[in-house]
Amino acid sequence: MSTVFTTYRRAVLYTICKAIGNGDLTKFLRSVVAVSTIAAFLGNSIGVELAGAMEKPDMRFPAPVDVLSVNNSDRALTGLCLPASLGEIKKQYAGTNGKTVINIQDAHCNYSCQKNISLIFDLLNQETNVNVALLEGGAGEYDLSVFQDMKDVEIREKVADYFVKEGRMNGAEYFAVNNPGRVTLKGLEDENAYLKNLKIYRDNVRSKDKAEFILKSLSNAVSELKTDIYSPSAAAIDKTEVDYLSGSIDIKEYAARLSVFAKAIPFLREKYRNLNNFMLLVEEEKGIDFAKAEISRDEIIKATVKKISSAELEKLTANMILLKNGRMTESEFLGYIFNKANTVSIDVERAHLDLVKYAAYIKKNEEIDKDKLVFEIGDFTQELFGAVCRTEMEREIFAASRDLEILKSIFDITLTRTHYDRFISDKERFTAVYFNALITKASNASGKSVVLPQDLLDLDAYVAEMVKFYDAAFERDRYFIRKIEKSTRDTGIVIVVSGGFHSENMSRLLKEKGYSYVAVTPAFDPKEETPYFRLLSGGEVKEEKSVTEAISSIAISGMLSDFK
C-alpha cells in the first residue's frame, strides 16, 4: 500500500469520525465529491486499493426487498464508469477484433460540455491508459505549441478557457493543451469531404430563414385545424406531447399523464417494457417519504460505524468513493450498508421501512434502459393517439404535425439518424404538395379558412438542398472509419470525439467491423448560448441557442489541426 494512500485514508476516516461526532454525516455524504477529487489526483495506487473494496452481500442477511446485488461487472466495458456529474455511458458492446473505440458524443461549442469532455479525457487517460484521440473537425496532426510554449500555467489555462468559450477550442484540445504529453490528438476528417459538407451548409444559409418561415406557417395552420378536428381525448393527448416537447412538463409528469390516458387500454403499456416500468415507478414514488429515507440512511451509517472495526470502516470509506465515482450503483451501496447493519444487529426492515422502499425503487430505476425509454415514449404516444382517434383525418393531422418537426430539425441541424431514416423512407409525406393537400382537405372539412404562404412550393427545393448536407455528413463517416482503422492498428484503443448524428451511424459501421464500442454523452447545459451557428455559417447569421449532443452533424474546424 502506498504511503500517500495510507495518509489519504486516515484523513478520510478522521473526517467521517468528526462528521459523526458533530452529527453532520449528511453534509459529509453530500460532499464526497471532495474525496473523489482527491482520489483522482492519487492515480493508479488508489484504483488498486478500491478494486477489492466492494464485498459481495452477506447471504445470511435476507434481503428486505430485492435490493441486495453484487457488482455488475459487465455494466460498462472493461469496468469503465463515469461520475454522473460528468456524463453517462449511453451504449456499449463487446466486439470481436480486440480493438476498442470510446466515442464521446460532442455538443459542439457548448462550454459546459467541452469542460466536461476535458474531465472525461482526464478520467479515461487514467483508467484505460488511452492516449490517442481522433477529433471531428480536424485533419492531420495537431500543433499545440502555441499554447504549450506559455510557461505560466495559469495564464495558459485562462487563454485556453477563453478559446473554449468562443467555440474555437474543444474539450479535447483544452485537455491536451493543459496536460502536455498525456494525449496525442489527430484529425478524424478528410479535408476535402469536410469542406464539401461545410460549403453545402453555407450555400444554404440564406434560404434557411425562408424555409423556417414556411414551416412555421404550416405548423400554425395545422395547430389551428386541430381545435376543430380533434376529439377531446385526442386533443388532450396532443397537448400533453406538445407540453413535453416544449419543456413545460418533465418526463415524469408526461409519463403520469399518459398513464391516465392509457387506463382504458391496459394491454398497450405491456408492449413497452421500459415505459411501463417507468410509469409504475412514478406511481411508486407517491408511497415513499424520501426525507425519511435519507434520515434512515444516515442513522444506519452512524450506528454501523460506531460498531464496526477500523478495517470495515475503511471499506465503507472506499465504497463511498466508488459510489461517487460511478463504480458502484446506489442500490449496490444500500445493499452493502444493509448487510453491514445486519452484522451489528440493526433491524433495517423493521425500523427503516422508507429506506427499504427507496432501495427497491432505486434498483428498479437503474434497470430501466433510458435510451429505449425515450423512443418507447414517442411510439407509445403515437399508438395511444391512434387508439382514441375517431377519424382518419385526426391521425393524418397528428402525423403531419410530427413530420413538420422533423423538417424543422433538418434546417436547425438537430436531425437525428432515426428521423433521417423516417424522412428517407416516406419522402412524399414531407413535400409541400402533400402538406398543402392535407391542410386544404382538413380546412374544407372543418369549415375553417387557413391561409398558407404564396411561396409554399419553394419548400421542396430548400429541403432537397439541405438533405445534400446530411448525405455529405454520411460520406464523411466512411472517412472516419478509415482513420479509426489506421489508428487502432497501433494503439488498439482510441477516443473519438464527434457529434451525435455521426455517432449513430459510426456505431453501426464499427459493430459490423468487430470493434468494441462505448458511447459517452457528457453532461451539459442545453440552454446555454453557443457560438455554433455563427461559426458554422462563417458569421453570416445570428447566434442560436442550445446545440444538443444527439444531433450535431458537423464540428467547427479545429484551428490547431492541419486544416488550411
Side-chain angles (χ1 to χ4, degrees), residues 256 259-260 263 269 278-288:
S259 180
V260 173
K263 281 184 177 178
R269 282 176 50 165
F278 185 71
M279 287 177 169
L280 293 173
L281 281 181
V282 172
E283 285 296 313
E284 198 171 307
E285 278 188 0
K286 299 174 184 177
I288 301 174

Side-chain angles (χ1 to χ4, degrees), residues 88 90 105-108 113 371 498-503 520-522 524 526 546-552:
E88 63 177 315
K90 302 284 285 187
Q105 300 181 356
D106 190 8
H108 301 312
C113 178
D371 280 345
S498 66
F501 184 85
H502 293 288
S503 298
V520 177
T521 300
F524 71 100
S546 77
V547 180
T548 66
E549 90 290 338
I551 40 71
S552 304

Side-chain angles (χ1 to χ4, degrees), residues 222 226 229-231 234 238 382-403 422 429 434 438 441:
V222 168
K226 287 178 181 179
I229 292 174
Y230 281 176
S231 67
D238 183 73
Q382 182 172 348
E383 197 163 351
L384 180 62
F385 185 91
V388 302
C389 282
R390 299 171 304 181
T391 66
E392 185 60 29
M393 179 62 71
E394 286 178 291
R395 295 185 181 88
E396 289 181 354
I397 288 294
F398 182 77
S401 181
R402 284 186 157 199
D403 290 343
R422 156 79 182 133
R429 293 182 65 93
Y434 175 81
L438 176 62
K441 183 170 67 171

Side-chain angles (χ1 to χ4, degrees), residues 38 42 83 119 122 143 180 235 299 369 373 377 379 512:
I38 296 172
L42 296 181
L119 294 173
D122 184 47
D143 181 5
E299 288 177 350
D369 188 319
L373 173 62
I377 204 165
D379 292 343
E512 290 174 358

Side-chain angles (χ1 to χ4, degrees), residues 291-345:
K292 282 186 179 179
E294 184 174 0
I295 292 170
S296 290
R297 180 202 61 191
D298 295 352
E299 288 177 350
I300 291 172
I301 293 177
K302 287 180 183 179
T304 302
V305 164
K306 291 177 181 178
K307 296 181 180 181
I308 60 178
S309 66
S310 59
E312 293 298 329
L313 189 58
E314 291 180 7
K315 287 183 180 179
L316 172 61
T317 304
N319 279 338
M320 285 180 174
I321 298 169
L322 288 172
L323 174 66
K324 188 63 187 179
N325 285 340
R327 291 175 172 242
M328 178 187 281
T329 66
E330 189 173 1
S331 64
E332 288 170 339
F333 180 75
L334 288 172
Y336 163 78
I337 291 298
F338 287 177
N339 274 279
K340 197 55 59 185
N342 183 64
T343 63
V344 293
S345 303

